[in-house]
Amino acid sequence: MLRLTVHRHFSTSSAFFANRAIVYHSNGNPRSVLSALTFPSLRSPPPNSLNIKYLLAPVNPADINVIEGVYPSKPSPTKLNSDNVFVAGNEGLAEVTGVGSGVSGFENGQWVVTGKQQCGTWRSGANVNVEDVIKVPKGASEVGAATITVNPATAYNMLSEFVDLKEGDWVIQNGANSAVGQAVIQIAASRGLKTINFIRNRENVDALKKQLEELGATHVTTYEELSQKSFRDKVKEWTGGKPLRLALNCVSGPETMSMARLLGSDAHLVSYGAMSKQPLSLPTSLFIFKNLKSVGYWQSRWYTERTKEEREKLMEVLVGLMREGKLKEPEHEIVTLGAGESDEEASNKVRDVMKNIMEGQYGKKVLLRLEGE
Ligand SMILES: NC(=O)c1ccc[n+]([C@@H]2O[C@H](COP(=O)([O-])OP(=O)(O)OC[C@H]3O[C@@H](n4cnc5c(N)ncnc54)[C@H](OP(=O)(O)O)[C@@H]3O)[C@@H](O)[C@H]2O)c1
């Protein structure tokens, strides 16, 4: 559990406004622990560093878990004003605004994303070590670039790193309407892979099915349909009996067991989330008789273990897909914390955003734009 001593309260004046960050002093419910904090202009960047201005930063499910203190990677405290605080946010798009001595290959205006985990992206400006950023090649939209390092990267790597899939092969996944799920659908389609996609039932389920099919999903179906005995025959009909060798899971719970039962021999079940908050329970027979491999995937680990060249290559591949129109930006809403708003107003706004996200009221990705100098 992270906890820092609190020295300051809200500034209600924007008279000295230069930069703003969304911060917390100790873990807890984001609706109560987050606040907006103004801080002064950045100094000229020290050697081997860059000053950056954040353009957009998404709110991902893991960000909430980090603030709650239940996520394995933790941020380090940062000194803003006289306070040590944790700055929230892990992902975001920034523009270079200052280049320190000893840095080559960067200029003002270059778009970058942060390769360092939990560096605190819900802020308007920051000074960063040049080694901690990755250049964004031209061709991505602002929203596309701001959401590229987590969800599309996870989707791409899960489709590439576990099973040697060939054109015409099948992939099954749950949580298919999640941002990762939508990236899986599109990246799979760009490679000629076919997908069976599971979603929760809802009032307008046909509209959602249609939306995912338009992204390139081969079949979209609900967990209710998955639980029916006849569903296995339907899958055989769809695939012509071709064995399924890769299943992607971000939900866990009983539905994932039903999905795993559809897999053929020597298949991989790759788990990357547990949105149902239920454990993952699998029949032992799948391991004994079908040689199932049940593994986890964590994009943060990938970034820690891989070289900067590998990270840059992944960025090029993903922006290349965006440029070709094969990977669209997620459905989103941008929430701006304006320079004219006091810290108290901005704090209330961000807490409302957290409340709505935690109550599942958006149904699309929310991105924060923190105005600064
Ligand atoms: N391991 C990694 O490296 C990695 C990387 C990226 C993301 N993730 C994880 O992947 C998951 C999805 O992330 P995202 O950013 O794509 O999320 P997102 O766009 O916010 O989507 C959330 C998804 O979870 C579903 N969901 C929510 N509560 C559920 C429940 N109780 N039962 C079943 N489904 C439920 C939602 O379905 P409805 O529309 O029906 O609510 C939606 O499909 C999260 O757990 C996230 O932490 C992991």
Side-chain angles (χ1 to χ4, degrees), residues 61 151 154 177-180 200 202 272 275 297-299 365:
N151 294 334
T154 302
N177 63 321
S178 67
V180 177
R200 284 201 281 191
R202 64 199 70 218
Y272 66 99
M275 290 303 294
Y297 180 78
W298 193 24
Q299 186 58 33
K365 191 59 71 192

Side-chain angles (χ1 to χ4, degrees), residues 60-287:
N60 290 320
D63 295 328
I64 304 215
N65 302 143
V66 171
I67 298 162
E68 289 170 334
V70 296
Y71 199 73
S73 53
K74 316 268 180 213
S76 306
T78 307
K79 205 169 190 88
L80 292 181
N81 302 333
S82 57
D83 252 4
N84 261 332
V85 292
F86 299 110
V87 180
N90 177 53
E91 186 179 32
L93 168 69
E95 176 182 277
V96 174
T97 53
V99 180
S101 62
V103 175
S104 61
F106 286 87
E107 57 184 15
N108 285 358
Q110 166 76 50
W111 276 10
V112 293
V113 288
T114 30
K116 190 181 166 195
Q117 298 305 297
Q118 304 305 332
C119 60
T121 55
W122 299 358
R123 56 193 288 164
S124 55
N127 174 257
V128 292
N129 189 312
V130 69
E131 288 303 315
D132 293 339
V133 299
I134 309 168
K135 285 185 200 170
V136 182
K138 287 205 184 335
S141 67
E142 266 196 13
V143 171
T147 52
I148 202 170
T149 54
V150 177
N151 294 334
T154 302
Y156 184 87
N157 286 336
M158 291 194 302
L159 287 170
S160 313
E161 302 222 333
F162 296 96
V163 178
D164 183 18
L165 295 167
K166 302 271 187 289
E167 198 174 336
D169 282 346
W170 290 80
V171 177
I172 50 177
Q173 65 162 341
N174 58 26
N177 63 321
S178 67
V180 177
Q182 294 190 37
V184 165
I185 289 170
Q186 296 174 82
I187 295 167
S190 78
R191 288 175 50 186
L193 304 172
K194 296 178 180 171
T195 53
I196 299 173
N197 299 277
F198 299 104
I199 54 172
R200 284 201 281 191
N201 206 354
R202 64 199 70 218
E203 253 177 35
N204 53 350
V205 73
D206 286 338
L208 180 56
K209 284 183 176 180
K210 188 159 176 275
Q211 185 197 327
L212 298 180
E213 281 161 10
E214 279 168 4
L215 285 180
T218 318
H219 297 287
V220 186
T221 186
T222 62
Y223 302 118
E224 273 95 334
E225 292 170 87
L226 167 63
S227 67
Q228 287 163 9
K229 274 212 168 115
S230 58
F231 189 73
R232 186 181 283 267
D233 297 331
K234 200 180 224 179
V235 170
K236 272 201 183 131
E237 218 176 275
W238 286 341
T239 60
K242 198 170 192 181
L244 303 171
R245 294 189 297 138
L246 179 64
L248 307 176
N249 162 40
C250 73
V251 173
S252 291
E255 289 88 356
T256 307
M257 187 200 307
S258 308
M259 182 172 79
R261 284 187 194 279
L262 299 173
L263 289 167
S265 290
D266 300 314
H268 277 73
L269 169 67
V270 180
S271 295
Y272 66 99
M275 290 303 294
S276 70
K277 295 194 163 73
Q278 299 292 310
L280 175 60
S281 167
L282 294 167
T284 313
S285 58
L286 293 184
F287 294 95

